[in-house]
Amino acid sequence: MSIYFATNRQRVSVGQAGRFRFGERFSEDGPEDLVFGKIPNDMSPEALTTECIYDTLARKEALFQEIKQAMQYENHDTIIYVHGFRNNFADAVEGARKLQKALLPVEGSKNAAKGYHVVLFSWPADRLGAMESQKNYTNDRLDARLSGPALGRATQFMIDFLVQVMEHSRQSFRATGRGDLCGQKLHLICHSMGNYVLTHALQKLLNDVKTPQSIPSVFEEVVLVAADEDSEALEQDDRLKHLDRLARRVTVYYNPNDKALRVSHLTKGNPERLGAGGPRNMQRVSGKVVAVNVDARVDWREDMLLDLDMISTCPEHGYHLYNTAVIWDMRQVLAGITAASIQGREPQPFLGQGSFKLV
């Protein structure tokens, strides 16, 4: 399947006639400027064509219609995926493709025919310098914050489109007795600093609608993986407290041995990370929030045998793309299985209701 995308990155010519890539800076029209598009599986993200871009209102609506029809006729849900820091556009597309492949049901399972469409939101992170570099981390964090409104705009576009779909379906039902809803679900997965982008996207939505109660619940599942956000973010009005308004459930995966987040905490002056210790106080977050400690099942040596590319990243941080136990848990989450019934988990009641660990 193709990877759909929305990005606020600039376009950069690659020297081939009509070919370009997305760079490490914002669009020339500013951080909130958005381009939507689609990348076929046989096309490199380093040399895109203008046919990949849907940059007019009519083209954008046509793309949304294409995704809706694909969901309807292929029986696939759609995942919105927001990548983390130190990802150029090609890295982000590769991560989206790996996520799409990882979440395919095991062959022969009950839902073997079902997969996921992935819509990547790519903000202008880059791979310049070492992971530990204070300057590169700070630059990416600033870009993540400034990209939040663009993700908020993309989400609002999606909400507006869904409202149109609902209205069209109601009219169709009145006229013919049949609606036109696809019957599939939307999910949101944010990794690492992508959660910081989400924070500022949510704040834009809150600012636009004025009250948290006005935010529509458009996602079935929201999954926060290795979140480079403060551990109390889900308690704070100016952070992620009202994220539960967008979704039926919010699942937080965290790893106390996440080296990348340890660097963020100890060397970048950040408070304890949500993706390292989970929510600071489960008693003070929404009852929709589920926290899952993956520490016991994340082993970089085992994961490296499955994907040698992962050794060049931080395996304790990118486990959602490689680790079989985490992927199995995520499949069950996206399938809508209740938190206490998901296989491979053990409840941690002493940490509060909704707390689990992988076993």
Side-chain angles (χ1 to χ4, degrees):
M1 290 185 284
S2 299
I3 294 294
Y4 300 97
F5 67 86
T7 186
N8 59 343
R9 293 176 183 261
Q10 68 174 159
R11 292 189 228 181
V12 179
S13 173
V14 296
Q16 303 177 44
R19 297 272 178 161
F20 68 93
R21 65 177 179 85
F22 287 106
E24 285 70 53
R25 296 179 182 273
F26 289 116
S27 163
E28 293 180 357
D29 292 325
E32 292 191 36
D33 184 52
L34 279 173
V35 169
F36 293 84
K38 179 177 68 172
I39 304 177
N41 277 341
D42 59 353
M43 180 174 289
S44 167
E46 296 281 14
L48 301 173
T49 65
T50 54
E51 287 74 21
C52 297
I53 303 301
Y54 292 67
D55 54 358
T56 66
L57 179 60
R59 290 267 289 165
K60 181 183 69 179
E61 291 180 349
L63 184 68
F64 284 11
Q65 283 289 351
E66 178 181 328
I67 297 172
K68 171 185 174 290
Q69 291 172 5
M71 293 173 69
Q72 185 171 2
Y73 297 117
E74 297 174 15
N75 193 35
H76 290 345
D77 290 354
T78 290
I79 294 170
I80 313 299
Y81 178 54
V82 186
H83 63 80
F85 80 123
R86 290 195 84 244
N87 277 249
N88 59 31
F89 186 75
D91 296 329
V93 171
E94 180 64 17
R97 285 172 172 166
K98 285 184 176 181
L99 180 69
Q100 187 177 53
K101 182 178 179 180
L103 292 175
L104 284 173
V106 177
E107 187 174 355
S109 66
K110 182 177 179 181
N111 295 318
K114 186 172 182 177
Y116 294 93
H117 297 287
V118 174
V119 179
L120 168 69
F121 177 80
S122 184
W123 52 282
D126 60 61
R127 291 192 67 177
L128 299 177
M131 182 179 293
E132 296 81 5
S133 167
Q134 173 76 48
K135 179 180 178 180
N136 292 322
Y137 180 90
T138 302
N139 287 344
D140 266 6
R141 194 160 178 83
L142 175 60
D143 289 344
R145 179 171 64 81
L146 294 175
S147 295
L151 177 58
R153 285 189 65 214
T155 304
Q156 189 62 58
F157 287 151
M158 182 183 67
I159 291 171
D160 293 344
F161 177 74
L162 291 174
V163 169
Q164 293 177 20
V165 169
M166 291 292 293
E167 180 58 30
H168 181 270
S169 183
R170 281 194 289 266
Q171 293 176 2
S172 177
F173 185 80
R174 293 192 199 102
T176 66
R178 297 177 59 185
D180 189 33
L181 299 179
C182 73
Q184 303 305 124
K185 299 178 177 64
L186 290 169
H187 311 288
L188 173 66
I189 298 178
C190 297
H191 176 240
S192 185
M193 204 178 283
N195 290 272
Y196 190 58
V197 179
L198 175 62
T199 290
H200 293 280
L202 179 61
Q203 292 307 309
K204 174 174 173 52
L205 289 173
L206 286 168
N207 183 67
D208 289 347
V209 301
K210 305 306 180 186
T211 64
Q213 293 76 15
S214 301
I215 296 180
S217 181
V218 293
F219 297 112
E220 186 73 7
E221 305 287 345
V222 169
V223 179
L224 312 183
V225 182
D228 194 359
E229 249 292 12
D230 298 349
S231 61
E232 66 269 26
L234 288 162
E235 305 171 26
Q236 298 178 330
D237 287 309
D238 62 347
R239 291 297 182 89
L240 294 172
K241 180 177 180 178
H242 300 294
L243 181 60
D244 63 329
R245 297 282 179 180
L246 276 174
R248 185 185 69 85
R249 176 170 60 184
V250 178
T251 299
V252 179
Y253 288 105
Y254 67 97
N255 178 14
N257 288 314
D258 189 322
K259 292 179 181 177
L261 293 181
R262 191 179 304 158
V263 169
S264 172
H265 173 47
L266 296 178
T267 70
K268 306 300 189 294
N270 290 323
E272 185 175 358
R273 303 286 80 194
L274 179 63
R280 183 183 63 172
N281 187 342
M282 286 294 288
Q283 306 298 332
R284 299 185 61 181
V285 302
S286 167
K288 292 182 178 181
V289 175
V290 175
V292 184
N293 184 342
V294 305
D295 178 28
R297 294 303 304 274
V298 172
D299 185 335
W300 70 266
R301 291 162 297 188
E302 175 187 337
D303 296 341
M304 186 176 65
L305 295 175
L306 300 176
D307 193 326
L308 293 176
D309 289 341
M310 59 80 66
I311 198 61
S312 64
T313 64
C314 186
E316 298 88 354
H317 189 62
Y319 46 81
H320 64 303
L321 300 181
Y322 310 104
N323 185 270
T324 54
V326 175
I327 290 169
W328 170 235
D329 196 277
M330 288 176 61
R331 286 173 180 160
Q332 295 177 83
V333 168
L334 296 177
I337 299 173
T338 58
S341 300
I342 290 179
Q343 299 175 17
R345 287 182 179 181
E346 183 177 282
Q348 303 285 281
F350 58 92
L351 293 177
Q353 185 176 358
S355 296
F356 298 86
K357 71 174 182 179
L358 297 189
V359 294

